[in-house]
Amino acid sequence: MAVTLEVTPTRKRRPLVVGHLDSPNISDTKLFRSLFFASQELSHMQPLRFILRRNSQSIIRKVKVLAAVFDELLRSHMVYSQSAQLCFEEMNIVMQRMKTLIEDCTRSSKLWLLLQIENVSFSFHELVADLSTVLDILPVNDFNLSEDAEDLILLLKKQCSDSIQFVDPRDDDLRRKVTDTIDGIKHQIVPDQSKLIGIFNDLGLLDSASLIEEIQRLEDETHDQIDERSRIAAASLIGLVRYANCVLYGPSTPSPHPDFRRHKSLSEANIPADFRCPITLELMRDPVVVSMGQTYDRESIDLWIKSGHNTCPKTGQVLKHTNLIPNSALKNLIVMWCRDQKIPFEIYGDGGVGSSTPCTEAVEFTRMMVSFLIDKLISVAEPNAVVFELRALAKSDSVARACIAEAGAIPKLVRYLGSDSPSLQINAVTAILNLSILEQNKTRIMETDGALNGVIEVLRSGATWEAKANAAATLFSLASISTYKRRLGRKVRVVSGLVDLAKQGPTSSKRDAFVAILNLAAERENVGRFVEAGVVQAAGDAFRELPEEAVSVVEAIVRKGGLMAVSAAFGLIRQLGEMMREGGDTTKESAAATLVTMCRKGGSELVAEMATIPGIERVIWEMIGTGTARGGRKAASLMRYLRRWAAGDTYETAATETQSIVVPTPSRIFNPVL
C-alpha cells in the first residue's frame, strides 16, 4: 500500500473552513466520545519498530495527552460553543489522518519507506503542525478544565509549537547504506554479505519469508508509481531484495504440493467487453486507435491492414490513413484489471508493465543472482531447490529471462527433463517454458542439443499431467515463430503427444493441448497430420468441457484442411449447431464459421445434414439479429446455403462469401507459474 505523502511548505495553517462539512452531524456527547475513542485507539498503537520509530512515538505521546483531556471533557457533560465544536471536528480529522499515516507505514515496504524517509518524516511533522494550529484557536478557557488538564494542554501546545521536522540519524544512516550498496552495483561491485545481513536485520527482515513479503510489497509500489524515476528506484530495491534472499538464505525449497495455477488463465477470467479486441474478441495486449476512432489490438489490426483491407473492421468506413495510435489510457485500465484478477500483464510482452529502458542496478542484481544460482546448480547434490529458484526467477520479467539464458542455464535445465523426480521434472520444464516467453530465447532452446526432444518426451510420458501440460505450453510458445511451427508440425511425436493430451488429460491440460494444436494448425501442411491423429474427434468430445478452445480447433482444421478434414468433421455438424445456440460469442462465431466452410467445401450433402438440426433456422436468425458483426455475416451465409438447398439447387461448392475476413483464434498467453 502506498504511503500518503503530503509534501507542502512547513507552516502553521488555520483549520480548513470546510473541514466540518466532512464530519458527521453528531451531538456534542457523541463527538467527544468519538474523539475519546480515536485518541484511545491512537495512544494504544505500537510505534513503528524499525524505521520512523521516533516520528511515530512523538505523535503517539502527544495523542496520549489529548486522551486524558478528552476523558475529562467527556465526563463534564457541558455544552460548547460552535467554534469549539468546529475545533473538535478538525481535531478529529487530524487524528484520523495520524492513524491512517501510521497504518500506511506499517503496511508499506520498509525499503521504500527508507528511500522516502524525508517525505514521510515531513508528513508526520505536518500533522503535528496541524494539531498545533487547532490547539492555538481552541477556546480552552471556556471548558472549565482542572488545573492539571490545563497544564497538559499548555504543555502539548508548547511541544507542538516547538516541533521541527527531523529524520532519525539511525534511519538516515541505514538509508545511506542501502543507496551505497545499490550505487556499488552500477560498478559491478558484489555486495558484502555481512553488510547485507546488517541492513536487513536493521529493517527487521530476518528470514526468507519476510524478504519474499518485502518483494511483494515493492512490486505493489512499482504498480502504484506514475513516474519512471520512481519505478526505476522500486526495481532497484526489488533486485537488491531478490539477490539478498538468494545469497543469504539459499534457493527456496519448493512445496511438496505447489500451487502451479495460482494465477488465473485468460479462459477462466470474465474479460470486460471494452477490453476485448473487436476482431478476435480476446483481451487486448497492445490497444491502438485507428483513424476512425475505433480501438483494436495492434497485432489483429496489423494483420487486417496487411491483408489488403482499407476499411475499419467495426464500422466498415474507409480509413483516412493506416497510422495506429497507442491507447495508453485503455492499456493502463487493462493492466489494473489484470492485477485485480491475478493475471500478470507482463507476460503479454517482453517489456513488462510500464517498462522502457531496463534499470541498470536491477539488471546487475539479476546477473549476480543468476551467476550464484548457476554455480550452485553445478555444485549441489540435490538440484531441485536451485531449479525451482531459476523457474521462479524466469517468471519475474524479461531481464531475468535474458540473464538466465545468457548464463548458459538452458543446457543445464535440459538434463533434468528426464528426471525420475516428478517435482524436479516439473520445475525444469516450467523453467524452460518461462524462458521461452522471451523471443530470442526460443532460438536458444531450439538450438540447444536435447532441449526439444526433452520437452517432447515430457509431453508424451511426463510423470504428471502438470508436466505434460507445461510441455505443451512450451511447444505453443516455440511455435510462435513460423519456421519452428513447420518444424514442430513435422514431428509425429509432437502431433500424437498433443492429441493424446487433448483426449486424456484433465481440463487444464486439455486446454493447453488444444491451444498448442491451434497454433500449429495455422500451418497448412500440419493439418493433415493432426486429422490422421484424431484431433477432430478429440475436439468434438471436448465441446461441452472446453467449448471455445475445442470449436476453434475444429474451425482451424476444417478451414486449413481439405476434404479429408471436412469428412472427419461431418459427425460434428449437429454439435456445431448446438454450439451456435448455447455457446458464448466467440464459440458461436467459430461454430458458424466452421459450418460455412464445410458447406462451401462439402456441397449439398453437408447442407442437407445441417438442415436436419432442430430449430437451426431460428438459431441462425437470432445470430443474424443479435450476434457479433462477424457472427452475423457467417450466419447470413449459412441462411443462403439453406435457402439454395431448399430451392433444389445442386452444387458441389458454393463460394458465397467474397469478402476476406480475418479469422480469430483464441490468443493464449501461458502464465508463467511459480
Side-chain angles (χ1 to χ4, degrees):
M1 180 177 181
V3 177
T4 304
L5 303 179
E6 301 178 25
V7 283
T8 55
T10 306
R11 60 185 176 88
K12 281 197 172 185
R13 302 177 301 171
R14 63 184 179 86
L16 300 174
V17 294
V18 296
H20 65 284
L21 298 179
D22 297 326
S23 301
N25 185 14
I26 55 179
S27 65
D28 291 355
T29 302
K30 288 184 178 180
L31 176 59
F32 294 149
R33 189 178 298 276
S34 175
L35 280 170
F36 174 72
F37 286 139
S39 63
Q40 286 292 317
E41 185 178 8
L42 258 172
S43 61
H44 284 87
M45 291 181 74
Q46 293 297 319
L48 300 174
R49 291 185 59 192
F50 299 102
I51 53 176
L52 295 163
R53 182 175 180 83
R54 286 181 56 196
N55 304 78
S56 56
Q57 275 181 332
S58 174
I59 276 187
I60 292 173
R61 282 198 299 264
K62 291 175 174 60
V63 173
K64 285 181 179 179
V65 174
L66 282 176
V69 175
F70 292 150
D71 183 36
E72 183 171 322
L73 288 174
L74 186 62
R75 288 186 278 107
S76 67
H77 302 291
M78 64 182 297
V79 178
Y80 301 103
S81 64
Q82 185 178 7
S83 61
Q85 292 182 48
L86 291 177
C87 286
F88 285 132
E89 288 173 359
E90 281 294 333
M91 196 173 294
N92 193 19
I93 293 173
V94 170
M95 283 198 292
Q96 293 300 327
R97 290 167 56 204
M98 290 176 175
K99 177 174 177 288
T100 299
L101 179 59
I102 293 175
E103 288 177 343
D104 282 358
C105 290
T106 302
R107 290 190 291 262
S108 181
S109 156
K110 292 183 174 65
L111 278 167
W112 185 252
L113 280 179
L114 198 60
L115 255 62
Q116 307 294 321
I117 195 74
E118 289 184 353
N119 288 339
V120 184
S121 297
F122 178 80
S123 294
F124 278 100
H125 172 67
E126 186 182 38
L127 289 172
V128 174
D130 288 346
L131 178 60
S132 177
T133 301
V134 176
L135 290 174
D136 282 347
I137 61 175
L138 185 68
V140 179
N141 295 332
D142 297 344
F143 296 162
N144 195 25
L145 291 171
S146 65
E147 290 186 6
D148 289 342
E150 289 183 353
D151 289 343
L152 287 176
I153 289 290
L154 290 173
L155 175 63
L156 184 58
K157 288 174 66 174
K158 178 172 176 50
Q159 288 178 345
C160 291
S161 178
D162 294 343
S163 176
I164 59 172
Q165 180 186 353
F166 68 92
V167 174
D168 191 328
R170 176 185 172 280
D171 294 346
D172 194 45
D173 180 62
L174 186 56
R175 177 181 60 174
R176 190 160 45 249
K177 290 179 181 178
V178 171
T179 55
D180 287 348
T181 300
I182 293 175
D183 288 341
I185 288 296
K186 295 179 181 178
H187 302 93
Q188 300 182 346
I189 299 174
V190 178
D192 182 81
Q193 290 193 24
S194 62
K195 291 183 178 179
L196 287 177
I197 292 173
I199 289 173
F200 289 106
N201 282 350
D202 288 345
L203 289 169
L205 304 174
L206 305 176
D207 53 28
S208 179
S210 62
L211 290 178
I212 291 172
E213 184 178 355
E214 178 71 3
I215 290 172
Q216 182 60 57
R217 290 178 175 177
L218 283 168
E219 288 175 346
D220 292 340
E221 289 290 351
T222 302
H223 288 294
D224 291 337
Q225 301 310 311
I226 299 175
D227 63 292
E228 189 69 15
R229 185 176 179 181
S230 296
R231 285 177 174 168
I232 288 175
S236 300
L237 294 175
I238 291 172
L240 171 62
V241 181
R242 280 180 180 161
Y243 175 79
N245 186 38
C246 185
V247 172
L248 299 181
Y249 302 106
S252 305
T253 302
S255 167
H257 304 286
D259 183 7
F260 292 108
R261 299 284 175 180
R262 188 179 65 139
H263 298 295
K264 291 182 180 178
S265 67
L266 289 182
S267 56
E268 296 171 326
N270 184 19
I271 303 174
D274 290 341
F275 295 172
R276 292 178 179 267
C277 174
I279 296 176
T280 64
L281 297 181
E282 295 300 319
L283 184 69
M284 286 186 278
R285 312 176 196 180
D286 186 10
V288 293
V289 180
V290 298
S291 61
M292 308 310 297
Q294 303 294 329
T295 298
Y296 300 92
D297 191 42
R298 184 183 295 275
E299 183 180 356
S300 302
I301 194 63
D302 270 344
L303 179 60
W304 173 268
I305 294 172
K306 290 176 181 177
S307 299
H309 298 87
N310 64 346
T311 58
C312 174
K314 194 170 183 179
T315 65
Q317 296 175 294
V318 177
L319 296 173
K320 298 177 182 177
H321 55 77
T322 57
N323 297 332
L324 303 176
I325 303 171
N327 192 336
S328 301
L330 180 58
K331 186 171 184 178
N332 288 336
L333 291 175
I334 294 174
V335 170
M336 294 172 61
W337 177 83
C338 286
R339 286 181 58 203
D340 292 339
Q341 297 296 315
K342 304 297 183 185
I343 301 175
F345 191 83
E346 195 273 334
I347 59 176
Y348 299 146
D350 294 328
V353 179
S355 65
S356 54
T357 304
C359 171
T360 303
E361 297 89 338
V363 172
E364 290 302 326
F365 274 125
T366 302
R367 283 180 179 154
M368 291 180 182
M369 182 175 175
V370 169
S371 176
F372 174 82
L373 289 171
I374 296 298
D375 290 342
K376 279 279 188 182
L377 192 60
I378 296 172
S379 60
V380 297
E382 295 295 333
N384 193 30
V386 182
V387 175
F388 177 81
E389 196 70 38
L390 287 169
R391 163 189 174 173
L393 186 60
K395 168 191 173 290
S396 60
D397 53 52
S398 58
V399 170
R401 296 178 194 121
C403 291
I404 292 171
E406 289 168 1
I410 295 175
K412 295 176 176 58
L413 292 170
V414 169
R415 294 183 303 187
Y416 304 114
L417 292 176
S419 172
D420 294 332
S421 166
S423 177
L424 180 55
Q425 184 183 70
I426 290 174
N427 288 330
V429 73
T430 309
I432 292 175
L433 163 61
N434 292 344
L435 290 174
S436 72
I437 296 171
L438 188 65
E439 197 72 13
Q440 55 262 39
N441 283 350
K442 301 182 196 301
T443 301
R444 291 187 175 112
I445 294 170
M446 292 293 288
E447 293 179 353
T448 298
D449 289 341
L452 180 57
N453 286 334
V455 171
I456 295 173
E457 194 57 36
V458 174
L459 171 68
R460 290 175 55 83
S461 57
T464 63
W465 289 116
E466 191 67 42
K468 293 180 178 182
N470 287 347
T474 305
L475 295 175
F476 165 85
S477 179
L478 296 173
S480 63
I481 297 178
S482 58
T483 55
Y484 298 156
K485 203 187 304 285
R486 291 190 291 271
R487 179 176 167 185
L488 291 170
R490 294 188 185 115
K491 292 184 176 291
V492 176
R493 292 189 303 155
V494 170
V495 173
S496 61
L498 289 173
V499 173
D500 288 345
L501 185 60
K503 289 178 179 178
Q504 303 168 10
T507 300
S508 60
S509 300
K510 286 182 179 179
R511 181 182 290 112
D512 291 337
F514 278 131
V515 178
I517 291 169
L518 195 60
N519 198 4
L520 290 171
E523 195 66 40
R524 190 179 299 274
E525 69 176 65
N526 296 339
V527 173
R529 301 184 189 94
F530 278 111
V531 174
E532 291 175 358
V535 71
V536 175
Q537 185 60 48
D541 292 341
F543 272 7
R544 295 295 178 185
E545 187 178 5
L546 292 168
E548 183 175 329
E549 291 85 352
V551 175
S552 295
V553 165
V554 176
E555 178 193 355
I557 294 294
V558 169
R559 184 177 71 251
K560 292 285 187 178
L563 290 178
M564 184 174 69
V566 175
S567 176
F570 183 84
L572 301 180
I573 290 178
R574 284 180 173 271
Q575 289 176 260
L576 289 168
E578 293 174 4
M579 290 295 101
M580 287 180 61
R581 180 187 297 113
E582 301 172 1
D585 287 343
T586 303
T587 303
K588 289 179 179 179
E589 283 187 14
S590 293
T594 304
L595 289 174
V596 168
T597 303
M598 293 177 70
C599 290
R600 186 173 67 245
K601 292 183 176 181
S604 300
E605 183 180 354
L606 286 166
V607 181
E609 179 67 18
M610 182 177 66
T612 64
I613 301 174
I616 186 62
E617 288 196 23
R618 185 169 66 178
V619 172
I620 292 174
W621 279 119
E622 287 179 356
M623 196 164 175
I624 291 174
T626 62
T628 62
R630 178 176 180 261
R633 293 196 300 270
K634 295 296 181 182
S637 296
L638 289 177
M639 184 59 70
R640 288 196 293 270
Y641 281 127
L642 285 174
R643 285 180 173 175
R644 291 185 60 187
W645 173 81
D649 290 353
T650 59
Y651 56 90
E652 291 301 321
T653 60
T656 60
E657 288 188 301
T658 58
Q659 184 180 10
S660 175
I661 298 171
V662 174
V663 181
T665 56
S667 58
R668 171 61 187 273
I669 304 299
F670 287 92
N671 293 343
V673 288
L674 286 176

